[in-house]
Amino acid sequence: MAVAAAAVLTPIAAAAPATADAGGFTKTTLHFQVFVGPNRDVPCDVIGDVYKPDAASVSNRVPAVLTTNGFGGSKNDQAGIASFLASRGYAVLAYSGLGFGGSGCKIHMDNPEYDGVAASELVSFLGGRDGMAFVDPEHTVPVAGLDYVVQDATAHHGTAEANDPRVGMIGGSYGGAVQFAAASVDPRIDTIIPMITWNDLSYSLAPNSIDQTSGVSTSVPGASKVVWSLTFGAVGVTNPRAEGYAQDPVRALGCPNFADPACPALAQSAVQGFPDPASVDFLRQSSVVSYADRVKIPVLLLQGQQDTLFDLNESKATFETLQAQGNDVKMIWHSWGHSNLTPAEGEINMKDPNPDTQYETGRIIDWFDHYLRDSGADTGPVFSYFRNWVDYTGNAAPAYAESSDVSVGQDFSLYLSGDGALTDRRDRIVAGAQTLNTLPGGFPTDREAPDTRPNAPVPQSVEPGTEAEWSSGILDAPLDVVGAPVLDVRVTAAPAVTGVEDSVVVFAKLYDVAPDGTETLINGQVAPVRMVAPGEPVQVVMPAIVHRFGEGHRVRLVVAGGDPSFRGGLVPHQVTIAAGDPGQALVLPVSG
């Protein structure tokens, strides 16, 4: 589409009235023509809201923040954080990501060449580029690039770039991963704050808790999270609604509203229970694990303890990768996540942020002020984590422990005894083994709440003969676990395994057993294990937790033949787990 001569923002804002706010800013909705893809030749219409602080002008330039939605959302979801930042003097552009919330083109799962490039194009608008912003979706009434944002002399690769604003990014989940994608293709971005997002999307959707090759990535895929995967598919396909498909019929072709490889990647979760190599490649292309070496800027990671979609291990993998390559990186583990989106009192409120009463909001604004305003604000500890057993009122800061190292726990071993005990005494280990069965077709062997809502009141039940379990004695003092439990076991199985298709799949779970016998699966976390060569010692890295086992409680370890939120192995097996020597142990990272 031909681009008309650019017009200045103020007259256009008058023609399409901006909305005033008592916080001292105006909001204007615009449409942006961006070009994405490997050759930057695929046109997309992106809808976004520009928040301009009242004090911003050519002679009083301000830093900028770019933000977008989580999967299935829109720019409107970011109104709270955008208004908050604009009221504190930041220019903000909140936009709907590709395929969502009124923006065109298909969903590419935050691929750098598509979603990353789209964000990069919007960075150019913030930096003053003309000819890409319009009042209307037909792109006939143009708006000039912003002339009131601070300009940087050089980008982060050390050379000058055109239209280089002082800009950061913030957002959660899908709106978190896109920040890594954008930073990997655009050195003009100065800092990012990704929240509750992934390191390797192939792990997120089909985790294997053994044989990690790098971070959370594995050479053998795990077990598909059926509920989460099917939810992604349904939300993505229906998001444009009938009018969206009518306006852009191309989005209905092939895989509806998704890049073509996404359909088989998501469908395989229900059919075979694991992604094939091509699907793994597609998912990893949209993951920071594949391009972290191109992200060279300061990063504040926020990850959720109640998150069965993107677990704490993913943030730790990203943190350690960035730290090893020299990034200024810090991390917060907060109480909330995809499994429970309600923060604890005084953590954060995305609709009504307040740095005085909310711990995370304070950390966020200090981070942006430090890196975008050069304010010298203290950016806080390297690592902090929320402890739900600490009493407080108001700001959640007292509930957060702080550390200069992400690994805060000391190893505490509970040995698997042949009599079903978890004991910390080597002299109390007795020889023995437990046997369990998996069901044909990868079907669940028990009934529990789905991992999307693990706190839902669902009566528990277990198919006989499908679990092995070990329990500790009654604890005479609290046991605080911060980090990923590690399970070392020896496993054999019959019939023999020839490859991924007939592999053995089991699920390791950690429960807190209260004095009254009530069992709680900690944060709904499950560690799927897919074994293609059973018989060798296996080390299972379970999802990290922050949890206090209280005095009078017990630690219970279960290895199950199936799980209702996952698709297990297609071929049934009889699985034997050895016990009775110090090599078979559950190692807990204990703090305090």
Side-chain angles (χ1 to χ4, degrees), residues 166 190-191 298 328 366-374 379:
R166 180 71 58 84
D190 296 290
T191 189
D328 185 358
D366 284 345
W367 188 269
F368 276 153
D369 283 352
H370 182 95
Y371 286 106
L372 300 182
R373 294 190 187 278
D374 300 322
T379 59

Side-chain angles (χ1 to χ4, degrees), residues 128-143:
R129 179 177 151 195
D130 296 331
M132 61 178 296
F134 302 85
V135 169
D136 58 320
E138 294 75 27
H139 301 163
T140 62
V141 184
V143 173

